[in-house]
Amino acid sequence: RQGIGEPSVYHAVVVIFLEFFAWGLLTTPMLTVLHQTFPQHTFLMNGLIHGVKGLLSFLSAPLIGALSDVWGRKSFLLLTVFFTCAPIPLMKISPWWYFAVISMSGVFAVTFSVIFAYVADITQEHERSTAYGLVSATFAASLVTSPAIGAYLSQAYGDTLVVVLASGVALLDIGFILLAVPESLPEEMRPVSWGAPISWEQADPFASLRKVGQDSTVLLICITVFLSYLPEAGQYSSFFLYLRQVIGFSSETVAVFIGVVGILSILAQTVVLGILMRSIGNKNTILLGLGFQILQLAWYGFGSQPWMMWAAGAVAAMSSITFPAISAMVSRNTDPDQQGVVQGMITGIRGLCNGLGPALYGFVFYLFHVELNEMAEVETLGKASKPNMANPTDESSIIPGPPFLFGACSVLLSLLVALFIPEHNLALRPGSHKKHSTGAQAHPHSPPAGGSDGKEPLLEDSSV
């Protein structure tokens, strides 16, 4: 067996940490390069770049997952990490090629799918949610620490050093996979040759979406996930640029903001979530999380002062309880062989949002003329100003962040839909103890199990 030791969750944790640590280092340099490359319509181009990447990931993730089921995980871990990190050195070599390769890298930028498949291979059912939680927490930890480090190094030594360091971390990740990560898929489950057939039904990205309407509970869950995750995906793609260029945050302040909100989110998903689940129940916790999301999006939309962003960031951390609460509802009300069908549906919905959300945010910024045309001069003079708010008659002085208000309206609709999700309507089938991978072939009437699902099925589906 190639690699160091037996395959373990810790192999997956190291791969995820290094990949996202490398990208986190680039938070500050990327904001600068983005504006320099696209001085006109910066937000629109940012949305289009992330939108193309997200849609390509949505289309390719099921195929790569199906191929890894046949040919093994290690080779596809190497492939996804390599192509995801390939754009990093191009940031200083050729910014145009950098953004072009980022868009195209979406075809292979599905490391999480392969990682969750890797974890599923080596864990038992009762261990899986804990293992997925460890991987997700590692992802959060990498993004809590790396932007601050990247901002400090950029300020002290320049962006070039940060790009070189990020490239080095990416190479370290690739080397770790090559030398240290053992294959997790058992030998008996792999074919003798690479010409073996794959399940094209599993490789169809739209297959899960076509099943959404077959059960009313699943339909309600999928609509809830779509309407709440669409603005979240868009917000993640443009928010740091928005803080830096419109609100006037410095690079260091953006990095500290990411770290503080990340730490608060981890606390919310561990300490606060447990208290809420015990005191008000699963469904009410989901509704509360959606309520926090509405509040933070509205606050971001109308807020024009830095302190408002910090306050809204604390509320945003509380809104992170939504998907873990949905996950807990599923784990308590569904047996393993029924989760597979809904897993694919939630994966498809969230993958679609990862493409549509950034494009939507960029387009709304463009419609409301929130541009950064004066930012270069402002930064040259070293002034902390908000160019889009200089003219009191400008609509941006009234609504600095229009896409966030659109997002708040979307989550409000999500909340209204979630009110109709039955909390105790997910019947268990006694005596069913199949693995989740067989659940992917389950009967269409199994989705009620996932009706209350949001994140756990998403994670497990990646291993199907």
Side-chain angles (χ1 to χ4, degrees):
R1 181 191 294 272
Q2 293 181 336
I4 298 177
E6 294 297 314
S8 70
V9 176
Y10 298 106
H11 288 102
V13 162
V14 173
V15 172
I16 284 294
F17 181 85
L18 291 176
E19 177 179 325
F20 288 95
F21 188 87
W23 276 107
L25 288 172
L26 296 179
T27 301
T28 295
M30 187 163 67
L31 299 181
T32 303
V33 172
L34 181 66
H35 176 58
Q36 291 174 347
T37 308
F38 305 106
Q40 304 291 328
H41 312 314
T42 308
F43 284 107
L44 178 62
M45 294 305 301
N46 179 63
L48 291 177
I49 290 166
H50 285 89
V52 170
K53 180 180 179 181
L55 287 173
L56 289 176
S57 297
F58 162 68
L59 294 173
S60 65
L63 176 60
I64 290 179
L67 290 172
S68 73
D69 281 343
V70 175
W71 296 336
R73 315 297 184 197
K74 180 171 180 172
S75 56
F76 284 94
L77 269 181
L78 187 62
L79 189 71
T80 56
V81 170
F82 175 81
F83 280 100
T84 300
C85 296
I88 292 177
L90 295 174
M91 176 180 284
K92 280 299 178 182
I93 299 172
S94 173
W96 278 95
W97 276 107
Y98 168 72
F99 290 112
V101 174
I102 282 182
S103 298
M104 294 300 102
S105 70
V107 174
F108 296 101
V110 290
T111 307
F112 261 110
S113 296
V114 186
I115 282 292
F116 287 134
Y118 190 97
V119 171
D121 291 339
I122 58 179
T123 55
Q124 301 296 321
E125 289 289 342
H126 67 279
E127 304 171 324
R128 198 158 293 144
S129 60
T130 301
Y132 287 154
L134 180 60
V135 172
S136 298
T138 302
F139 163 71
S142 69
L143 294 184
V144 164
T145 55
S146 55
I149 296 174
Y152 169 76
L153 293 176
S154 177
Q155 179 76 16
Y157 303 104
D159 290 349
T160 301
L161 176 66
V162 181
V163 173
V164 170
L165 178 61
S167 301
V169 173
L171 287 174
L172 178 63
D173 198 10
I174 293 170
F176 178 80
I177 296 171
L178 276 172
L179 302 176
V181 175
E183 176 58 58
S184 65
L185 193 66
E187 190 70 36
E188 61 271 14
M189 295 182 63
R190 282 179 278 159
V192 177
S193 70
W194 274 59
I198 66 171
S199 171
W200 289 107
E201 181 181 356
Q202 291 182 1
D204 181 3
F206 298 98
S208 60
L209 301 183
R210 288 195 289 267
K211 301 175 184 175
V212 168
Q214 294 178 355
D215 183 273
S216 59
T217 303
V218 174
L219 180 62
L220 290 173
I221 281 293
C222 287
I223 293 174
T224 300
V225 170
F226 179 81
L227 291 175
S228 62
Y229 194 70
L230 183 70
E232 183 176 330
Q235 178 181 353
Y236 183 78
S237 71
S238 62
F239 186 59
F240 302 140
L241 176 65
Y242 178 78
L243 285 179
R244 171 94 182 269
Q245 309 288 29
V246 177
I247 301 300
F249 274 29
S250 66
S251 301
E252 295 77 12
T253 308
V254 169
V256 173
F257 183 92
I258 295 171
V260 171
V261 174
I263 292 170
L264 291 176
S265 297
I266 293 172
L267 290 175
Q269 293 179 55
T270 53
V271 179
V272 179
L273 179 63
I275 296 173
L276 290 175
M277 294 283 281
R278 289 191 297 269
S279 58
I280 64 177
N282 281 7
K283 181 177 177 179
N284 289 332
T285 302
I286 294 169
L287 296 175
L288 183 63
L290 292 173
F292 279 122
Q293 190 178 359
I294 294 171
L295 179 59
Q296 60 105 348
L297 285 169
W299 210 337
Y300 283 142
F302 285 112
S304 59
Q305 301 299 321
W307 71 267
M308 297 179 181
M309 300 296 106
W310 285 98
V315 178
M318 282 300 300
S319 73
S320 66
I321 64 175
T322 304
F323 285 108
I326 295 176
S327 171
M329 182 183 283
V330 169
S331 65
R332 293 180 181 182
N333 293 280
T334 310
D335 45 25
D337 73 333
Q338 294 181 346
Q339 293 190 16
V341 173
V342 183
Q343 293 165 7
M345 297 179 189
I346 302 300
T347 300
I349 294 293
R350 286 170 64 101
L352 198 59
C353 290
N354 281 329
L356 297 178
L360 174 65
Y361 265 52
F363 183 65
V364 175
F365 273 125
Y366 172 72
L367 285 181
F368 281 80
H369 309 292
V370 180
E371 296 296 343
L372 311 176
N373 299 333
E374 302 174 33
M375 203 62 209
E377 293 84 353
V378 172
E379 290 187 343
T380 301
L381 295 173
K383 297 177 181 178
S385 70
K386 306 177 185 67
N388 290 326
M389 302 171 197
N391 183 358
T393 62
D394 195 309
E395 63 262 18
S396 63
S397 63
I398 303 171
I399 308 177
F404 301 109
L405 291 185
F406 277 79
C409 294
S410 177
V411 181
L412 177 59
L413 294 175
S414 176
L415 177 65
L416 295 176
V417 172
L419 289 171
F420 295 94
I421 299 173
E423 184 169 8
H424 302 292
N425 191 33
L426 309 179
L428 290 171
R429 292 185 182 178
S432 179
H433 301 289
K434 298 178 186 177
K435 279 191 173 288
H436 70 286
S437 57
T438 60
Q441 315 299 330
H443 191 275
H445 290 299
S446 62
S452 300
D453 154 41
K455 195 167 184 177
E456 188 71 16
L458 167 65
L459 302 183
E460 289 188 348
D461 177 70
S462 303
S463 61
V464 175

Short mmCIF file of all heavy atoms in Angstrom, two decimals, residues 198-219:
data_model
loop_
_atom_site.label_atom_id
_atom_site.label_comp_id
_atom_site.label_asym_id
_atom_site.label_seq_id
_atom_site.Cartn_x
_atom_site.Cartn_y
_atom_site.Cartn_z
N ILE A 198 -18.54 2.96 -15.56
CA ILE A 198 -18.99 3.70 -14.38
C ILE A 198 -20.50 3.84 -14.45
O ILE A 198 -21.12 3.57 -15.49
CB ILE A 198 -18.35 5.10 -14.30
CG1 ILE A 198 -18.82 5.98 -15.46
CG2 ILE A 198 -16.84 5.00 -14.27
CD1 ILE A 198 -18.40 7.43 -15.32
N SER A 199 -21.08 4.24 -13.34
CA SER A 199 -22.53 4.44 -13.29
C SER A 199 -22.86 5.84 -13.82
O SER A 199 -22.65 6.84 -13.14
CB SER A 199 -23.03 4.30 -11.86
OG SER A 199 -24.38 4.69 -11.77
N TRP A 200 -23.35 5.89 -15.05
CA TRP A 200 -23.67 7.19 -15.65
C TRP A 200 -24.87 7.84 -14.97
O TRP A 200 -25.04 9.05 -15.01
CB TRP A 200 -23.91 7.03 -17.14
CG TRP A 200 -22.66 6.72 -17.88
CD1 TRP A 200 -22.29 5.52 -18.43
CD2 TRP A 200 -21.55 7.62 -18.10
NE1 TRP A 200 -21.04 5.62 -18.97
CE2 TRP A 200 -20.55 6.89 -18.79
CE3 TRP A 200 -21.31 8.95 -17.78
CZ2 TRP A 200 -19.35 7.45 -19.17
CZ3 TRP A 200 -20.09 9.50 -18.15
CH2 TRP A 200 -19.13 8.76 -18.85
N GLU A 201 -25.69 7.03 -14.32
CA GLU A 201 -26.81 7.61 -13.58
C GLU A 201 -26.29 8.45 -12.43
O GLU A 201 -26.79 9.54 -12.14
CB GLU A 201 -27.72 6.50 -13.05
CG GLU A 201 -28.93 7.03 -12.27
CD GLU A 201 -29.79 5.91 -11.74
OE1 GLU A 201 -29.51 4.73 -12.04
OE2 GLU A 201 -30.76 6.21 -11.03
N GLN A 202 -25.25 7.97 -11.77
CA GLN A 202 -24.65 8.75 -10.68
C GLN A 202 -23.90 9.96 -11.22
O GLN A 202 -23.75 10.96 -10.53
CB GLN A 202 -23.67 7.87 -9.89
CG GLN A 202 -24.35 6.78 -9.09
CD GLN A 202 -23.35 5.98 -8.28
OE1 GLN A 202 -22.17 6.26 -8.31
NE2 GLN A 202 -23.84 4.98 -7.57
N ALA A 203 -23.39 9.87 -12.45
CA ALA A 203 -22.60 10.96 -13.02
C ALA A 203 -23.44 12.09 -13.59
O ALA A 203 -22.90 13.13 -13.97
CB ALA A 203 -21.68 10.41 -14.11
N ASP A 204 -24.75 11.92 -13.64
CA ASP A 204 -25.64 12.93 -14.20
C ASP A 204 -25.92 13.99 -13.14
O ASP A 204 -26.56 13.71 -12.12
CB ASP A 204 -26.95 12.28 -14.65
CG ASP A 204 -27.92 13.29 -15.26
OD1 ASP A 204 -27.56 14.47 -15.38
OD2 ASP A 204 -29.04 12.88 -15.62
N PRO A 205 -25.46 15.24 -13.32
CA PRO A 205 -25.66 16.27 -12.29
C PRO A 205 -27.11 16.67 -12.11
O PRO A 205 -27.49 17.22 -11.09
CB PRO A 205 -24.82 17.45 -12.79
CG PRO A 205 -24.74 17.25 -14.27
CD PRO A 205 -24.71 15.76 -14.48
N PHE A 206 -27.93 16.40 -13.13
CA PHE A 206 -29.34 16.81 -13.06
C PHE A 206 -30.25 15.68 -12.58
O PHE A 206 -31.45 15.90 -12.38
CB PHE A 206 -29.82 17.32 -14.42
CG PHE A 206 -29.08 18.52 -14.91
CD1 PHE A 206 -28.04 18.41 -15.81
CD2 PHE A 206 -29.41 19.79 -14.45
CE1 PHE A 206 -27.33 19.51 -16.25
CE2 PHE A 206 -28.72 20.91 -14.88
CZ PHE A 206 -27.67 20.77 -15.79
N ALA A 207 -29.68 14.48 -12.40
CA ALA A 207 -30.51 13.34 -12.01
C ALA A 207 -31.19 13.58 -10.67
O ALA A 207 -32.39 13.32 -10.50
CB ALA A 207 -29.67 12.07 -11.96
N SER A 208 -30.42 14.11 -9.71
CA SER A 208 -31.00 14.34 -8.39
C SER A 208 -32.05 15.43 -8.42
O SER A 208 -33.07 15.36 -7.72
CB SER A 208 -29.90 14.71 -7.39
OG SER A 208 -29.24 15.89 -7.80
N LEU A 209 -31.82 16.46 -9.26
CA LEU A 209 -32.78 17.57 -9.31
C LEU A 209 -34.12 17.12 -9.88
O LEU A 209 -35.17 17.65 -9.52
CB LEU A 209 -32.21 18.71 -10.17
CG LEU A 209 -30.88 19.31 -9.70
CD1 LEU A 209 -30.49 20.47 -10.59
CD2 LEU A 209 -30.97 19.76 -8.25
N ARG A 210 -34.09 16.11 -10.76
CA ARG A 210 -35.35 15.64 -11.35
C ARG A 210 -36.22 14.90 -10.34
O ARG A 210 -37.42 14.73 -10.57
CB ARG A 210 -35.05 14.73 -12.55
CG ARG A 210 -34.52 15.49 -13.77
CD ARG A 210 -34.59 14.63 -15.01
NE ARG A 210 -33.62 13.56 -14.97
CZ ARG A 210 -32.40 13.64 -15.50
NH1 ARG A 210 -32.02 14.76 -16.10
NH2 ARG A 210 -31.57 12.61 -15.44
N LYS A 211 -35.62 14.47 -9.23
CA LYS A 211 -36.38 13.73 -8.23
C LYS A 211 -36.99 14.62 -7.15
O LYS A 211 -37.73 14.14 -6.30
CB LYS A 211 -35.46 12.70 -7.54
CG LYS A 211 -34.85 11.69 -8.50
CD LYS A 211 -33.86 10.81 -7.76
CE LYS A 211 -33.15 9.85 -8.71
NZ LYS A 211 -32.11 9.06 -8.02
N VAL A 212 -36.67 15.91 -7.21
CA VAL A 212 -37.08 16.81 -6.13
C VAL A 212 -38.58 16.81 -5.90
O VAL A 212 -39.06 16.81 -4.78
CB VAL A 212 -36.56 18.24 -6.39
CG1 VAL A 212 -37.20 19.23 -5.44
CG2 VAL A 212 -35.05 18.28 -6.26
N GLY A 213 -39.34 16.84 -6.99
CA GLY A 213 -40.78 16.97 -6.85
C GLY A 213 -41.52 15.70 -6.49
O GLY A 213 -42.75 15.71 -6.41
N GLN A 214 -40.80 14.60 -6.26
CA GLN A 214 -41.47 13.33 -6.03
C GLN A 214 -42.00 13.18 -4.61
O GLN A 214 -42.75 12.27 -4.32
CB GLN A 214 -40.51 12.17 -6.35
CG GLN A 214 -40.14 12.10 -7.83
CD GLN A 214 -39.16 10.98 -8.13
OE1 GLN A 214 -38.68 10.30 -7.22
NE2 GLN A 214 -38.87 10.79 -9.40
N ASP A 215 -41.61 14.06 -3.72
CA ASP A 215 -42.11 14.01 -2.35
C ASP A 215 -42.24 15.44 -1.83
O ASP A 215 -41.34 16.24 -1.98
CB ASP A 215 -41.15 13.21 -1.47
CG ASP A 215 -41.67 13.08 -0.06
OD1 ASP A 215 -41.40 13.99 0.75
OD2 ASP A 215 -42.36 12.09 0.24
N SER A 216 -43.36 15.74 -1.22
CA SER A 216 -43.64 17.12 -0.81
C SER A 216 -42.67 17.60 0.25
O SER A 216 -42.23 18.76 0.24
CB SER A 216 -45.08 17.24 -0.30
OG SER A 216 -45.28 16.35 0.80
N THR A 217 -42.29 16.72 1.19
CA THR A 217 -41.37 17.13 2.24
C THR A 217 -39.99 17.45 1.68
O THR A 217 -39.37 18.45 2.04
CB THR A 217 -41.25 16.02 3.31
OG1 THR A 217 -42.55 15.73 3.82
CG2 THR A 217 -40.34 16.46 4.44
N VAL A 218 -39.53 16.59 0.77
CA VAL A 218 -38.23 16.83 0.15
C VAL A 218 -38.27 18.11 -0.68
O VAL A 218 -37.31 18.88 -0.71
CB VAL A 218 -37.83 15.63 -0.73
CG1 VAL A 218 -36.55 15.94 -1.50
CG2 VAL A 218 -37.65 14.40 0.12
N LEU A 219 -39.37 18.35 -1.36
CA LEU A 219 -39.51 19.56 -2.15
C LEU A 219 -39.38 20.79 -1.27
O LEU A 219 -38.70 21.76 -1.62
CB LEU A 219 -40.86 19.56 -2.89
CG LEU A 219 -41.15 20.78 -3.76
CD1 LEU A 219 -40.12 20.90 -4.87
CD2 LEU A 219 -42.56 20.69 -4.34
#
